[in-house]
Amino acid sequence: KNQVEQSPQSLIILEGKNCTLQCNYTVSPFSNLRWYKQDTGRGPVSLTIMTFSENTKSNGRYTATLDADTKQSSLHITASQLSDSASYICVVSAANQAGTALIFGKGTTLSVSS
Amino acid sequence: EAQVTQNPRYLITVTGKKLTVTCSQNMNHEYMSWYRQDPGLGLRQIYYSMNVEVTDKGDVPEGYKVSRKEKRNFPLILESPSPNQTSLYFCASSPWAQNEQFFGPGTRLTVL
């Protein structure tokens, strides 16, 4: 069964610190992996999208990594800011002749405190 | 401005009263989708559409209907809403299913 597991479920860090969020997946056939940021009460916004051949992709202070062999991805946030407080959602796309399926993780809630 | 719009943003209704939540995108995207988000369950896909007149069920389609008569619009219809459909709903679109999605601002629905 296609699944996406994210850890930790929630995280509290001090402003200025770094943190890493994890995403493990069992999705086949893998097409791409996306990280979204969702502020409370708002729609998710895309941070990165990575295909099978990409190991690392950055978007400002956000760096995503992908290990297709171990089926793991991480999202590293550098020098956290209060505005980074949000839910981070990992989404894996599976594509075959029948179509495309999007498998969502339940998200990691990050709280950055001053 | 490229965007996905949803209306209404907030709605309180009663059990059994038919309602429609509209979704519109101005980016000429082929793929559109509806999600509901509940605490502890994350985003779950209700229905999606690969193109005009092509729709398919997602993970939680029961109690919902959709239509895609034109590319820009993808309304979500609740024929007979029930309290378990109280949720935060998001519409999203993308050029194709494989691309990153652009989400609307959300519709918070309460069914009494």
Side-chain angles (χ1 to χ4, degrees):
Chain A
K1 179 183 177 183
N2 288 332
Q3 282 187 314
V4 174
E5 300 284 344
Q6 291 188 245
S7 63
Q9 187 173 354
S10 62
L11 182 62
I12 302 173
I13 62 173
L14 289 174
E15 185 179 15
K17 297 296 186 182
N18 304 334
C19 69
T20 300
L21 314 181
Q22 297 289 345
C23 173
N24 297 337
Y25 62 92
T26 53
V27 174
S28 182
F30 176 88
S31 179
N32 62 49
L33 185 146
R34 318 158 189 195
W35 283 96
Y36 288 88
K37 177 187 179 188
Q38 184 178 23
D39 294 319
T40 302
R42 305 186 71 134
V45 174
S46 179
L47 292 174
T48 65
I49 181 168
M50 302 176 72
T51 59
F52 185 88
S53 59
E54 295 175 297
N55 301 115
T56 303
K57 185 169 277 190
S58 292
N59 179 358
R61 294 179 297 102
Y62 300 99
T63 300
T65 65
L66 175 64
D67 186 334
D69 292 332
T70 61
K71 300 187 177 182
Q72 295 180 324
S73 176
S74 65
L75 181 68
H76 186 75
I77 304 174
T78 303
S80 61
Q81 300 175 359
L82 297 178
S83 59
D84 292 330
S85 295
S87 179
Y88 292 84
I89 303 169
C90 176
V91 184
V92 181
S93 172
N96 54 31
Q97 290 177 334
T100 299
L102 299 176
I103 300 90
F104 286 77
K106 293 183 179 179
T108 293
T109 300
L110 174 65
S111 298
V112 180
S113 60
S114 56
Chain B
E1 179 190 356
Q3 60 182 346
V4 177
T5 56
Q6 295 180 226
N7 282 292
R9 294 290 314 281
Y10 304 91
L11 179 60
I12 300 174
T13 188
V14 295
T15 298
K17 186 176 182 181
K18 181 179 178 180
L19 66 90
T20 298
V21 184
T22 65
C23 172
S24 183
Q25 51 93 4
N26 62 1
M27 296 169 279
N28 201 37
H29 286 169
E30 301 287 340
Y31 185 88
M32 297 186 74
S33 182
W34 274 103
Y35 301 90
R36 62 178 289 174
Q37 187 173 39
D38 303 288
L41 297 178
L43 282 161
R44 293 181 292 168
Q45 192 175 48
I46 303 171
Y47 268 95
Y48 63 93
S49 170
M50 302 288 280
N51 208 331
V52 176
E53 302 290 3
V54 179
T55 63
D56 213 341
K57 296 177 181 178
D59 297 319
V60 287
E62 295 77 21
Y64 305 95
K65 287 174 57 178
V66 293
S67 69
R68 188 91 182 272
K69 292 185 171 62
E70 48 190 343
K71 184 181 278 190
R72 65 182 293 123
N73 296 323
F74 190 45
L76 179 69
I77 304 157
L78 284 72
E79 294 272 5
S80 182
S82 61
N84 64 12
Q85 293 178 298
T86 292
S87 187
L88 179 58
Y89 291 85
F90 289 101
C91 179
S93 74
S94 58
W96 305 101
Q98 294 299 320
N99 299 110
E100 63 181 317
Q101 291 187 289
F102 294 84
F103 284 81
T107 294
R108 187 167 291 281
L109 172 65
T110 301
V111 183
L112 302 175

